[in-house]
Amino acid sequence: MRTVEPVADGQQGRYNLVYRCALDTAAGAATVYAKRFLLPETVHVEVFAYALQALTGLPACQAARHASREDLLLVTNAPGRKWEHDLNEETAYALGGHFVFALLFSNADIRPRNAFVEGGRVTMVDLEHCFFNLAIDASGLAAPERPETFDRMPPDELA
């Protein structure tokens, strides 16, 4: 790792800390982002959401959980530039695919600031709000990343 620098608030959300990391890899130089979470259990959700996004055929970053003193999300750099509300037919169609993903998988954080455009392709980032994962207070649960934790909850508590 060559450098680690914080990403300014204007370039990201305000409830997580994000760092841009320059790496030297066998394939050459690369940029990844390391994200610290206010709610660390959402790391698992975001890793799964990126994998699912890729499986649907949408452009997606690669993501992984890095376990150290705290769980971190490591995510590859989204290609292109931040979307600046310039819209043509090709970009509108690409955005439509992401809106369908957001509808099907409850991505409550689909925002222009999370869209990167390159040649008519759109890559969305910041998927921690998928699957209504913040709809249930998981702060007292022993293993909030495991589905069986919620399977054991009483129906009235889930409601």
Side-chain angles (χ1 to χ4, degrees), residues 20-66:
R20 184 180 298 110
C21 307
L23 306 174
D24 290 320
T25 70
T31 300
V32 298
Y33 290 86
K35 184 174 178 180
R36 296 178 68 196
F37 287 82
L38 177 63
L39 302 169
E41 62 273 11
T42 60
V43 173
H44 301 276
V45 171
E46 194 157 355
V47 169
F48 179 67
Y50 277 111
L52 184 60
Q53 189 180 48
L55 285 172
T56 66
L58 291 170
C61 296
Q62 294 179 347
R65 177 181 149 258
H66 175 70

Side-chain angles (χ1 to χ4, degrees), residues 78-88 91 112 115-119 121 123:
R81 60 173 173 78
K82 275 206 175 204
W83 183 49
E84 297 170 345
H85 304 283
D86 51 322
L87 195 60
N88 59 35
T91 304
F116 291 81
V117 178
E118 182 179 60
R121 289 175 54 92
T123 304

